[in-house]
Amino acid sequence: MAADLAAAGHIRSKEWRAAIESVPREEFIPEFFTKVDRADGPTLWDPTPARSGNDGWLRAVYEDISHVTQLNGEITAADVPEAIDGNPTSSSTMPSLVARMWEDLEVEDGNRVLEIGTGTGYSAALGCYRLGEDNLTSVEFDPQVAARAGRALGRAGFRPHLVVGDGEAGAPGTAPYDRIIATCSFRYVPKAWLEQSKPGTIILVTLFGWLGGTGLVKLTVTGDGTAEGRFLPGYVSFMPSRAHNPEPAVIPELSEAASSRSTSLGPEVLTTYGPAQLVAQLAVPEAQHITFGPGGDLPEHLLVQPDESYAALRGAAGTWTVEQGGPRQLWDEVERAVAEWRAAGEPGIENFRVTVTPQEQRVDIHGGTSWSLPTG
Ligand SMILES: C[S@@+](CC[C@H](N)C(=O)[O-])C[C@H]1O[C@@H](n2cnc3c(N)ncnc32)[C@H](O)[C@@H]1O
């Protein structure tokens, strides 16, 4: 696995190659769920193929795949006898992304690192190997997940500082940090991380939102509560911070008085990963996207947010109609943001900059159009 990751450019240094060659991933995923995609129903998660000792388990452990280890905030593969439906809430990240992120973090010998999202403990173990266990603090939201990670780290011979809690608060006990790395995603950069940094601290975090936009951001702390950086190239998505999931959306009364018009911007902007999706999300950060089947009374696509603003899209490719209601014209705002991004030459996400101050956090394209990130 290490040789493959190096050949593909995910491992770029001898230090991280040594860490990946040395840390036994099998200690961290003695069992996990295998994904079963189905055409006629929800994805299922099968606990049986990947059990310690089974044929194929060890091979799967060393494939470049993310392995789901918990569903719905409580169920592990050891808890159920057969495939079930569920929402993944903890996993061992795919090794290529783990390696890429450790490389992107540009650690130096002796750096003190804060990791958010201990998960199985595998990436923390790599950090311990590279920097020494006393320099590694890792925070996990879920006490059961944290306890399993602690045992796995112990089996592999590492005793880092493990904290159970919401990583949004950082870990003041071992601050300040030279580097902060998050392996779950956030809607904004938590303030506590800035407070537990020093000038020059590098922060690597995936920013996500409720319309599916996501990207890895690398920031350098510039002063008291301030940081600057940019999105890095490529698609990076992580499980959301458990505290950053939206409340279930309430479907408003789709009133007949709402405005209705045709729109040349279809829902692909919401369903296709890319910078336009990110821009749409930046324009309406409180909105959620709900889809309904074709042919019913409900629209195929609905954007809705807590103040009951909504945009309902009906139609098909090239002939979309949008109805908007509530205090904000959500689709007008999405269209305006996408038009501005197009006018700027449709830049990729690596051209999106992020600026953090104690007062606000902004994303801008090349210093042009900018949007505020939500802060709570
Ligand atoms: C993708 S997994 C982490 C992978 C891990 N680094 C590994 O090597 O196995 C994401 C983890 O973040 C945890 N998590 C989610 N929200 C969190 C939060 N606000 N603070 C700390 N951990 C959180 C989840 O419980 C989950 O275990």
Side-chain angles (χ1 to χ4, degrees):
M1 184 178 83
D4 288 349
L5 295 179
H10 303 299
I11 298 176
R12 304 193 291 270
S13 65
K14 62 179 188 326
E15 288 84 358
W16 286 114
R17 174 143 187 181
I20 287 173
E21 283 177 345
S22 306
V23 172
R25 195 178 185 217
E26 69 267 26
E27 294 295 356
F28 298 88
I29 38 179
E31 64 258 313
F32 48 86
F33 291 99
T34 302
K35 193 177 184 194
V36 187
D37 284 322
R38 296 184 308 160
D40 57 348
T43 296
L44 294 183
W45 299 95
D46 190 344
T48 53
R51 291 225 157 114
S52 174
N54 276 6
D55 278 357
W57 162 76
L58 195 57
R59 193 173 335 105
V61 162
Y62 285 98
E63 277 170 12
D64 186 23
I65 299 176
S66 131
H67 290 306
V68 170
T69 49
Q70 189 198 51
L71 297 172
N72 302 347
E74 55 181 358
I75 305 166
T76 71
D79 298 333
V80 285
E82 58 191 28
I84 55 167
D85 179 9
N87 176 37
T89 44
S90 193
S91 65
S92 176
T93 307
M94 61 196 295
S96 53
L97 181 55
V98 175
R100 178 222 165 143
M101 286 177 66
W102 274 122
E103 293 283 11
D104 283 346
L105 199 63
E106 295 182 70
V107 299
E108 291 168 11
D109 289 350
N111 276 175
R112 190 172 278 268
V113 174
L114 172 64
E115 179 194 47
I116 309 297
T118 314
T120 63
Y122 176 65
S123 51
L126 296 173
C128 290
Y129 183 92
R130 168 72 182 85
L131 295 163
E133 57 191 10
D134 198 37
N135 283 326
L136 204 287
T137 300
S138 187
V139 186
E140 170 57 50
F141 192 93
D142 184 308
Q144 302 299 327
V145 172
R148 280 192 293 275
R151 290 194 292 274
L153 281 156
R155 286 196 297 274
F158 301 113
R159 303 236 176 287
H161 304 275
L162 296 181
V163 177
V164 179
D166 185 347
E168 182 148 356
T174 42
Y177 301 101
D178 302 290
R179 302 286 186 265
I180 298 178
I181 181 169
T183 59
C184 52
S185 56
F186 287 81
R187 296 176 73 211
Y188 50 83
V189 184
K191 265 200 173 119
W193 301 0
L194 281 287
E195 290 158 9
Q196 294 166 26
S197 296
K198 41 193 181 186
T201 294
I202 295 176
I203 299 176
L204 205 55
V205 56
T206 300
L207 292 181
F208 87 108
W210 298 338
L211 296 186
T214 174
L216 183 61
V217 169
K218 183 174 183 175
L219 295 160
T220 304
V221 174
T222 45
D224 221 4
T226 59
E228 282 174 12
R230 61 186 181 91
F231 280 80
L232 300 182
Y235 172 73
V236 176
S237 160
F238 270 100
M239 290 174 179
S241 162
R242 296 201 190 185
H244 281 211
N245 279 318
E247 293 293 322
V250 178
I251 312 246
E253 193 74 22
L254 303 183
S255 108
E256 285 173 17
S259 70
S260 175
R261 63 175 172 81
S262 63
T263 172
S264 57
L265 187 69
E268 312 77 56
V269 68
L270 305 175
T271 53
T272 314
Y273 165 73
Q277 182 192 38
L278 184 62
V279 159
Q281 177 176 286
L282 287 164
V284 291
E286 302 307 321
Q288 292 181 55
H289 175 206
I290 304 166
T291 54
F292 301 98
D297 286 345
L298 289 164
E300 284 95 324
H301 296 268
L302 181 66
L303 273 193
V304 58
Q305 65 177 36
D307 67 1
E308 295 195 358
S309 301
Y310 70 85
L313 289 161
R314 300 176 199 267
T319 62
W320 291 101
T321 299
V322 59
E323 292 155 30
Q324 302 187 81
R328 280 176 67 176
Q329 304 285 292
L330 296 179
W331 204 247
D332 291 8
E333 295 185 39
V334 168
E335 282 179 331
R336 200 158 38 243
V338 172
E340 282 168 354
W341 168 74
R342 285 184 177 152
E346 306 195 359
I349 64 163
E350 64 279 10
N351 296 298
F352 286 51
R353 301 190 318 191
V354 181
T355 312
V356 175
T357 70
Q359 290 73 38
E360 70 169 346
Q361 304 191 2
R362 297 194 74 80
V363 176
D364 69 69
I365 310 177
H366 281 317
T369 306
S370 76
W371 297 270
S372 288
L373 288 173
T375 49

